[in-house]
């Protein structure tokens, strides 16, 4: 199966700075890479996703980049705000295996006001 | 449109008991997946259902089972509970199955086994 590694496990940034979270995957057949934000007591919330035929995708302050050759993808959050504080998970799904997602171990992001 | 709902939100059981968790997907979504989330193992895939059929299964013992009804609602059952089954159980729904699709998660059911 797929193995997804995520770094760092914790990240603290000053409000207004950027945050970057990186993930690597092992199976070259993976073709879908979502990112989820999980706040305390809640389920994961999809914040952005990217498919393997795209190298970069942006949505306001959030962007994701994908390097298929190196098998890594990254989440970039610019102009961070205190409400961005949460645990972020990356995931990967292998082509034609349905909706089985392999998750990274999570990054706890703290934005310091 | 209402999101994914899960009931109950919290459960306390003792070892050896069994438990049933329920999930109602987003209206119109036909695929339901279940995940177990623990501090030690993170988020792990349990199984996926579509059209009342199990499409995928993760590496969990047979004590973990599920089913899906004709209205796409799903239940998962854990029999002979063990202490290590204490976890947040998350349900996710997506529009279709068979190809990778965006999944939306519910708030989860927090199961504590004493």
């Amino acid at each position: 199966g797929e193995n997804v590694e995520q770094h760092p496990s914790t990240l603290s940034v000053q409000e207004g700075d950027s945050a970057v979270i990186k993930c690597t995957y092992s199976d070259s057949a993976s073709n879908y890479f979502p990112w989820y934000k999980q706040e305390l007591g809640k389920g994961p919330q999809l914040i952005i996703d990217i498919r393997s035929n795209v190298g970069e995708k942006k949505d306001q302050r959030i962007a994701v980049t994908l390097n298929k050759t190196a098998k890594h993808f990254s989440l970039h959050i610019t102009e961070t705000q205190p409400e961005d504080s949460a645990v972020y998970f990356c995931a990967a799904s292998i082509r034609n295996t349905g909706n089985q997602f392999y998750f990274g171990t999570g990054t706890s992001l703290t934005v310091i006001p | 449109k209402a999101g994914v709902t899960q009931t109950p939100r919290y459960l306390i059981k003792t070892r050896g008991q069994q438990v049933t968790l329920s999930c109602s997907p987003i209206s119109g979504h036909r695929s339901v997946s279940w995940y177990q989330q623990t501090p030690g193992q993170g988020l792990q895939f349990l199984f996926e259902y579509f059209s009342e059929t199990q499409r995928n299964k993760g590496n969990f013992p047979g004590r973990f089972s599920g089913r899906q009804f004709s209205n796409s609602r799903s239940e998962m059952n854990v029999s002979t509970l063990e202490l290590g089954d204490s976890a947040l159980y998350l349900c996710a729904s997506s529009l279709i199955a068979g190809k990778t699709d965006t999944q939306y998660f519910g708030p989860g059911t927090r199961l504590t086994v004493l």
Side-chain angles (χ1 to χ4, degrees):
Chain A
E2 173 67 279
N3 181 44
V4 178
E5 295 190 355
Q6 183 172 346
H7 300 281
S9 57
T10 60
L11 180 60
S12 291
V13 299
Q14 291 292 136
E15 181 177 359
D17 287 350
S18 294
V20 180
I21 303 171
K22 299 182 179 182
C23 289
T24 61
Y25 61 99
S26 60
D27 197 321
S28 57
S30 288
N31 68 339
Y32 177 64
F33 308 92
W35 285 89
Y36 287 86
K37 173 184 180 183
Q38 188 174 25
E39 297 174 313
L40 204 60
K42 297 183 178 180
Q45 175 192 4
L46 178 72
I47 56 172
I48 196 166
D49 57 10
I50 192 167
R51 295 189 183 268
S52 59
N53 58 347
V54 175
E56 183 177 3
K57 184 176 178 180
K58 286 184 180 180
D59 183 4
Q60 299 183 350
R61 298 185 296 109
I62 295 174
V64 57
T65 58
L66 171 65
N67 183 326
K68 286 190 296 183
T69 304
K71 295 198 192 75
H72 68 70
F73 55 113
S74 301
L75 177 72
H76 304 253
I77 306 174
T78 59
E79 300 172 20
T80 54
Q81 302 166 3
E83 50 266 37
D84 294 330
S85 296
V87 179
Y88 291 81
F89 292 94
C90 62
S93 181
I94 300 172
R95 183 182 301 115
N96 298 326
T97 62
N99 290 317
Q100 179 170 353
F101 286 6
Y102 297 86
F103 281 87
T105 49
T107 296
S108 179
L109 173 65
T110 302
V111 180
I112 304 165
Chain B
K1 188 181 277 191
V4 178
T5 57
Q6 292 187 245
T7 56
R9 292 293 313 277
Y10 303 91
L11 265 178
I12 299 176
K13 293 286 187 178
T14 56
R15 280 181 300 173
Q17 287 187 310
Q18 74 165 15
V19 67
T20 299
L21 313 181
S22 180
C23 170
S24 292
I26 293 170
S27 178
H29 284 197
R30 300 174 62 192
S31 171
V32 173
S33 298
W34 289 88
Y35 291 81
Q36 181 195 65
Q37 185 175 27
T38 60
Q41 299 298 317
L43 278 149
Q44 292 186 291
F45 174 79
L46 281 156
F47 26 67
E48 177 193 6
Y49 285 88
F50 177 77
S51 292
E52 303 177 61
T53 302
Q54 187 180 90
R55 298 293 293 259
N56 277 313
K57 190 176 191 305
N59 293 326
F60 279 84
R63 299 185 297 107
F64 292 81
S65 62
R67 61 177 175 168
Q68 187 181 34
F69 302 95
S70 58
N71 61 357
S72 296
R73 190 177 70 85
S74 177
E75 289 181 347
M76 69 163 281
N77 184 277
V78 188
S79 62
T80 320
L81 284 166
E82 301 176 359
L83 295 179
D85 296 334
S86 294
L88 181 67
Y89 289 89
L90 292 158
C91 165
S93 81
S94 56
L95 193 57
I96 58 176
K99 59 169 274 190
T100 304
D101 193 19
T102 305
Q103 289 192 63
Y104 300 91
F105 282 85
T109 293
R110 172 73 62 185
L111 172 65
T112 302
V113 182
L114 303 176

